[in-house]
Amino acid sequence: MMHSEALSIFRPEPATLTLRFLVLSGASVMCVASAIDPLRAANRVAGREAFAWSLASPDGAPAITTCGLPVAVAGPFEPAAPCDALVAIGGFGTRIEAAPPLVAGFRRAARTARAVGGVEAGTWLLGRAGLLAGRRATTHWEDLEDFAAAFPDTEVAPDRYVVDGAVFTAGGASPVFDLMLHLVRARLGMAVALDVASVFVYDQARAATDAQPLVSLGRLDGYDPRLAQAVRLMESHLDRPLAVAAIARRVGTSTRTLETGFARAIGATPGAYYLRLRLNAARRLVLDTAEPMTEIAARTGFSSAAAFSRAFARAFGRAPSRMRRG
């Protein structure tokens, strides 16, 4: 148990823990499932109702997830409804779509809950409600920089999940699964948590404080750790790209060996993969933010907006300005 969890819901308790999930349209269905299904499995493994939960949406209509699947809810979000833990699950639109009445209602509901949580972009709702001031928190890695700028009184961490006293936040579907396993382990013990992980054939190999990767490496770590290290170097230097030779030196190999490894494992040269990584980051900024193209070009390592536009159009078939207009 972390020191910050001593008086939180992350401790052994015999009573049923009640959770209320506010699911916002635009959330990932995987985030919803990863938040709820471990609790369902824990009840089955424990043979009792250790956790109880309900789902709500802002207006009571099914929340439409990013893949188009609706999530059925019990009704509209009611700030006065009691619960032990109040959790917001949101997608990238949450930062824009959280209307003032919803923010005020969430703030009011949080006052009576023992704990409050944010999953992926649901953390924006906590921030807008003033629940993260002076606290440590995380959100999805794509949003970390903008989130830190929006909430300068919050210590924003790139961790998979963060528990800071009565507030917990998770960066995405896999991190919230880790977080819920941690909750199960804290309340019901390691044996139950391991059984829950086994239900999903899930191998929890990451710690809460592990940084969220821009690229999920899958089995690349085991295939060749030097390739994994090279990719990590690339993703941490998007704005000022490193030369391939410099990357090779840092990972302790030759340029030729690095190129051979990339060709065998990824099917591309290191330079081509690096460019792809930068352009994919740029596309997310084009589609998910209103940042000027000159700023996006600088953040993704292009010398000018014109050079960025040409490379973007070659990769995606449309100039970034046209893609933003739809």
Side-chain angles (χ1 to χ4, degrees):
M1 181 184 297
M2 302 175 188
H3 176 70
S4 63
E5 299 174 15
L7 299 177
S8 74
I9 60 173
F10 292 84
R11 59 176 179 169
E13 290 180 329
T16 298
L17 186 76
T18 61
L19 301 97
R20 187 151 44 112
F21 293 94
L22 172 59
V23 184
L24 302 166
S25 286
S28 161
V29 70
M30 289 185 67
C31 282
V32 178
S34 293
I36 297 169
D37 234 17
L39 307 179
R40 187 266 316 162
N43 285 349
R44 192 185 80 175
V45 170
R48 65 181 180 88
E49 191 181 49
F51 302 97
W53 60 89
S54 63
L55 277 67
S57 68
D59 58 2
I64 306 302
T65 59
T66 48
C67 65
L69 288 176
V71 173
V73 298
F77 177 64
E78 298 288 352
C83 66
D84 292 315
L86 175 65
V87 186
I89 305 177
F92 290 116
T94 300
R95 66 165 96 171
I96 301 167
E97 296 168 4
L102 179 63
V103 173
F106 195 86
R107 183 187 305 115
R108 191 161 67 252
R111 292 194 192 110
T112 59
R114 293 176 54 198
V116 62
V119 175
E120 200 169 279
T123 310
W124 282 83
L125 182 54
L126 274 66
R128 299 239 185 267
L131 302 173
L132 299 178
R135 292 193 179 273
R136 193 167 180 270
T138 192
T139 188
H140 192 274
W141 61 264
E142 292 181 356
D143 260 357
L144 286 171
E145 186 175 337
D146 293 336
F147 189 83
F151 305 106
D153 54 358
T154 300
E155 182 186 346
V156 180
D159 300 5
R160 293 174 65 78
Y161 67 85
V162 173
V163 179
D164 187 347
V167 177
F168 56 90
T169 50
S174 178
V176 78
F177 199 108
D178 290 342
L179 173 63
M180 289 304 173
L181 278 181
H182 177 53
L183 178 64
V184 170
R185 181 170 58 248
R187 295 183 68 84
L188 303 178
M190 178 63 82
V192 173
L194 290 175
D195 286 345
V196 169
S198 296
V199 167
F200 299 96
V201 199
Y202 181 79
D203 181 12
Q204 187 182 17
R206 300 290 182 183
T209 53
D210 284 351
Q212 297 176 44
L214 274 69
V215 179
S216 294
L217 295 178
R219 295 188 177 275
L220 191 57
D221 273 312
Y223 187 85
D224 188 335
R226 293 173 301 181
L227 297 187
Q229 188 180 353
V231 172
R232 290 289 175 251
L233 281 170
M234 291 175 182
E235 68 180 10
S236 63
H237 292 81
L238 294 180
D239 56 341
R240 296 187 178 186
L242 300 170
V244 173
I247 294 172
R249 283 196 302 273
R250 292 196 187 193
V251 303
T253 190
S254 67
T255 301
R256 183 177 180 81
T257 299
L258 187 67
E259 289 174 343
T260 301
F262 263 80
R264 185 170 61 246
I266 298 176
T269 66
Y273 182 80
Y274 202 171
L275 177 60
R276 176 183 172 183
L277 190 64
R278 291 162 52 211
L279 286 169
N280 282 339
R283 179 168 59 177
R284 287 189 290 269
L285 292 169
V286 168
L287 294 175
D288 296 330
T289 76
E291 285 195 27
M293 297 303 169
T294 52
E295 179 64 22
I296 294 174
R299 286 180 62 174
T300 52
F302 290 92
S303 58
S304 67
F308 163 60
S309 184
R310 288 193 298 271
F312 193 98
R314 282 195 299 270
F316 304 119
R318 285 190 291 174
S321 56
R322 286 186 58 199
M323 181 175 286
R324 176 172 282 177
R325 289 196 300 267

